[in-house]
Amino acid sequence: MAWDFETDSEFQEKLDWMDEFVRDKVEPLGLLGIHPYDVKNPKRNELVRPLQEEVKEKGLWACHLGPELGGQGYGQVKLGLMNEILGGATFAPIVFGCQAPDTGNAEIIAHYGTAEQKTRYLEPLLNNEIVSAFSMTEPQGGSDPTNFVTRAEIDGNHWKINGEKWFSTNGKWADFLIVMAVTDPDAPRHERMSMFIVPVDTPGVEIVRNVGVYGQDNGSESYVRYTDVRVPADHLLGKQGGAFAISQTRLGGGRVHHAMRTVGNCKRLLDAMSRRAVSRKTRTGTIADYQAVQMQIADSYIELEQFKLFVLKTAWMIDKYQDYRKVRKDIAAIKALMPKVYHDIAHRCIHIHGSLGVSNEMPFVGSLIGSMVMGIADGPTEVHKVTVAKQHLRAYRDVADPIFPEYSLLERRARAKEMYDPVEEIVEAAE
């Protein structure tokens, strides 16, 4: 039996270096008004490239990738512990070569792309010379692929794409988009769609506008319209009709990374509210002396530790089984739990800071909005809860209990008497 909560000393040294490096060198980049995905900005590259080189020298670049692609091929537990440190530092994923949605898009191209596509798109993407967007959700269909209407039809040796996509993250910076479109509307629901690489400068690709999450000055969530967009037939990724399966595989590990970055964000919030609690004076001491504040600190600590252990256990299961399908219930569960933990801790942090907490001089309201984003991104919380319930109930599909089930006290007492008959002798002996 193996059950351990320790990190081996060699990897812990790497985590310790990461913690100091991110805090001292990477976090400040997020305060300079430069966007991490603006890879065509010379000033951005002047600041970011040397930090990326430091990461590469430490052997910590793109660790989610296998050695054949320049990474370490780390499992989800190690990646989770790394992402806990990266959470909260805007530039950290870029500096460590593990930024979404590029990581998932790179994984798709690595598995399904042609040699030419890997040279043209994957190599510069892995080197952070370009960035990409995942163009999936639609204005009328949200994130439910079964309601998508964007069509891709074969036209000679090209595919012709028509439709609209909503909230294609980083579309304004992207060199190419991975587009999910209906190729066979009469097929079973989860076999109707396919995925395509679409260079953003292809005629007919129009970014209608770039939308910002509330509080952002410059939005990068692109509303994209595709009008008779023609891409070569070999820009299909995987097999025709395979988009749903590809997207689910792509999102599985990413949800663990999101969750551990949320753990990192929540740790920062708990640290801030704790510092405020012991520093803010009242007539009789500090606000940390009041039970109401103590309850908020305690609840935040308890919820954070529970959530972190659940996420790491899920990461461990992924590493153990090497099959996302076997861990689908737990992946959905941590995705459903994540926004609530994040929201509750952010809310308490704001409240303990009072008027300063809701001001634009503190980042806490951004965290509150971030928790709401986590309840929507990669599928809404309600969908993940349905998945958890359905997966859990599979073990009970053959159960058909009577009105008075066998686990009732009457039934259990009757079975106990049969097991230890004659009961009268037991009673007499006891007396």
Side-chain angles (χ1 to χ4, degrees), residues 170-220:
N170 297 325
K172 68 184 292 184
W173 313 113
D175 271 47
F176 71 90
L177 309 105
I178 291 185
V179 182
M180 197 166 175
V182 176
T183 49
D184 187 354
D186 299 321
R189 290 199 310 166
H190 293 100
E191 298 176 11
R192 294 175 186 170
M193 293 154 293
S194 304
M195 281 190 186
F196 303 88
I197 296 177
V198 179
V200 75
D201 58 0
T202 305
V205 176
E206 173 193 3
I207 296 182
V208 179
R209 62 178 182 270
N210 291 297
V211 183
V213 173
Y214 192 86
Q216 293 179 343
D217 293 329
N218 296 305
S220 58

Side-chain angles (χ1 to χ4, degrees), residues 140-192:
Q140 84 297 327
S143 60
D144 182 359
T146 62
N147 287 328
F148 290 174
V149 297
T150 296
R151 287 290 306 275
E153 299 171 298
I154 198 71
D155 184 19
N157 61 349
H158 284 71
W159 287 94
K160 184 170 67 174
I161 303 173
N162 283 280
E164 295 184 345
K165 293 291 183 177
W166 170 250
F167 252 58
S168 295
T169 301
N170 297 325
K172 68 184 292 184
W173 313 113
D175 271 47
F176 71 90
L177 309 105
I178 291 185
V179 182
M180 197 166 175
V182 176
T183 49
D184 187 354
D186 299 321
R189 290 199 310 166
H190 293 100
E191 298 176 11
R192 294 175 186 170

Side-chain angles (χ1 to χ4, degrees), residues 278-403:
V278 300
S279 303
R280 187 65 165 167
K281 299 291 193 295
T282 68
R283 288 181 295 108
T284 58
T286 67
I287 61 173
D289 298 324
Y290 290 93
Q291 286 187 343
V293 173
Q294 293 168 4
M295 295 304 102
Q296 294 184 68
I297 299 289
D299 286 342
S300 297
Y301 176 79
I302 292 167
E303 291 166 10
L304 176 55
E305 287 300 304
Q306 288 175 328
F307 179 58
K308 178 179 178 178
L309 288 174
F310 190 5
V311 177
L312 288 175
K313 179 219 174 191
T314 303
W316 172 81
M317 291 171 67
I318 295 173
D319 289 347
K320 176 181 174 65
Y321 296 117
Q322 294 295 308
D323 186 348
Y324 285 111
R325 292 171 297 181
K326 291 184 177 180
V327 197
R328 187 180 176 192
K329 177 174 66 174
D330 293 275
I331 292 174
I334 61 172
K335 179 62 175 67
L337 182 57
M338 174 169 50
K340 175 171 173 47
V341 173
Y342 195 3
H343 173 277
D344 290 353
I345 294 177
H347 180 269
R348 295 182 194 118
C349 185
I350 291 170
H351 189 65
I352 286 176
H353 280 79
S355 57
L356 183 63
V358 298
S359 74
N360 60 4
E361 295 186 1
M362 288 290 168
F364 307 138
V365 174
S367 295
L368 195 64
I369 296 294
S371 73
M372 297 175 182
V373 172
M374 289 296 100
I376 299 168
D378 294 347
T381 297
E382 293 80 1
V383 170
H384 293 293
K385 286 185 176 181
V386 168
T387 297
V388 172
K390 286 182 176 179
Q391 293 286 317
H392 179 74
L393 290 171
R394 283 186 173 184
Y396 299 85
R397 63 175 55 177
D398 297 325
V399 173
D401 285 330
I403 294 175

